[in-house]
Amino acid sequence: MGEASVKTLETRTDVSPPIVAENEARPASERTLLTRLRAPRRPRIWFEILLIAVSYWTYSLIRNAVPEQKAAALANADWIWEVERSLGIAVEQSVNHGINSVTWLIVGMNYYYATLHFVVTIGVLVWIYRFHPGRYAATRLVLFATTGVALVGYYLYPLAPPRLMNGQNFIDTVLVHHTWGSMASGNLKNMSNQYAAMPSMHIGWSLWCGLTIFAVASAPWARILGLLYPTATLVVIVATANHFWLDAVGGMICLAFGYAVSRAWYGALPHRLPRHPEHTGPHPAAALLNRFRARA
């Protein structure tokens, strides 16, 4: 996404809310510590790489440390399936079998499920970091808060994916087509908690990507692709029998929580913050560290 083709809509996204403008108008000496902590500032590449790496490692560690409560997870899956049937939306099995009959399509979806979840998310983070540094920290906070609350869901509500249900004849497309498409199938199943399907972070992350692109991109093709990405992801997670429709709803709720946290901390949604942060001086944490070094 080049700077020439993906520009911000200045009149739509660069107008800061009154609270941001008021805080930035104050002299640095008059700002409270909390105000200075909340002020958007230019991110540092080394810190961001380290933060993302450590955060994802921590997320994977906690997610996989959640007890695999097989009996409860299967019982919850039966309950979800019955609820969807009562609502008339239990079509996952038809989608799973129908797309599985088109070999090239389902194989592509297996690889989509395994790779784009990470590739696109990292790509959007890099794009925001490069071209919208003033919005980067708030956008990143949405993603982190979304993922953090998802961990609570994995712990409180173990859920088996459709492909692991008993007696429902779902197809595990990774096993059938011998592809690498799920950390919870085939030779990789012992590396990941198989009963952490609710909420779906494939939906949480892909919708975060789509909304971020739609909110700050002005090129019509980019905004359209932004909306198509989570839509395609929804089809993929169902076709591969990794999630129910309602798992996707759980992912959306987690994302809404993430946006609420970011809005509460920064005083505005990410796309409403200035594209480029104004000079705010050294980070308060760095200033405290320098004082400690000076006294030592």
Side-chain angles (χ1 to χ4, degrees):
M1 299 179 185
E3 188 170 10
S5 59
V6 185
K7 300 179 180 178
T8 55
L9 295 176
E10 299 297 333
T11 59
R12 178 170 59 87
T13 60
D14 280 356
V15 179
S16 301
I19 186 173
V20 176
E22 179 182 349
N23 287 336
E24 290 181 350
R26 298 178 182 175
S29 60
E30 296 181 8
R31 298 177 185 174
T32 64
L33 175 61
L34 180 60
T35 299
R36 285 183 285 136
L37 284 171
R38 294 170 62 184
R41 59 187 70 245
R42 186 171 296 277
R44 298 180 179 181
I45 184 64
W46 65 267
F47 176 78
E48 295 305 322
I49 293 175
L50 179 63
L51 179 63
I52 292 171
V54 171
S55 297
Y56 184 73
W57 175 80
T58 304
Y59 163 75
S60 299
L61 185 67
I62 296 175
R63 180 180 185 273
N64 296 332
V66 173
E68 290 195 1
Q69 304 174 52
K70 182 176 180 180
L74 290 172
N76 288 336
D78 290 336
W79 184 84
I80 289 284
W81 186 238
E82 287 302 318
V83 169
E84 290 194 351
R85 290 177 65 180
S86 67
L87 294 174
I89 61 173
V91 297
E92 289 93 334
Q93 192 174 92
S94 299
V95 174
N96 174 233
H97 283 255
I99 296 182
N100 183 71
S101 64
V102 185
T103 302
W104 65 268
L105 182 57
I106 194 61
V107 167
M109 287 187 173
N110 284 343
Y111 290 123
Y112 178 116
Y113 185 89
T115 59
L116 293 191
H117 180 52
F118 305 102
V119 172
V120 177
T121 303
I122 293 174
V124 172
L125 277 172
V126 171
W127 172 54
I128 294 295
Y129 175 91
R130 174 67 179 83
F131 297 109
H132 303 268
R135 298 162 179 155
Y136 175 82
T139 304
R140 182 196 61 200
L141 179 57
V142 174
L143 184 65
F144 280 27
T146 298
T147 306
V149 75
L151 291 172
V152 179
Y154 298 147
Y155 184 85
L156 296 178
Y157 195 78
L159 180 67
R163 57 186 173 76
L164 292 182
M165 292 180 68
N166 295 322
Q168 296 300 333
N169 197 30
F170 279 95
I171 300 171
D172 189 328
T173 59
V174 170
L175 293 180
V176 169
H177 297 281
H178 307 288
T179 59
W180 181 71
S182 172
M183 287 293 289
S185 290
N187 295 329
L188 299 175
K189 64 183 179 181
N190 293 324
M191 297 174 60
S192 179
N193 183 357
Q194 299 190 70
Y195 304 109
M198 173 66 85
S200 168
M201 279 299 93
H202 272 74
I203 291 301
W205 287 16
S206 65
L207 190 57
W208 171 86
C209 291
L211 293 178
T212 299
I213 294 171
F214 183 81
V216 303
S218 59
W221 63 265
R223 301 181 72 194
I224 291 172
L225 286 178
L227 295 181
L228 287 177
Y229 175 54
T231 303
T233 301
L234 178 60
V235 175
V236 167
I237 66 172
V238 171
T240 56
N242 280 294
H243 289 283
F244 297 97
W245 297 122
L246 290 182
D247 297 347
V249 174
M252 295 175 189
I253 293 173
C254 289
L255 181 63
F257 173 82
Y259 274 109
V261 170
S262 183
R263 173 68 174 79
W265 180 255
Y266 287 100
L269 291 174
H271 71 281
R272 299 296 297 174
L273 295 172
R275 179 177 181 178
H276 297 283
E278 295 189 13
H279 180 69
T280 55
H283 194 280
L288 290 175
L289 180 59
N290 290 335
R291 290 181 185 177
F292 177 79
R293 289 177 177 174
R295 295 177 180 177

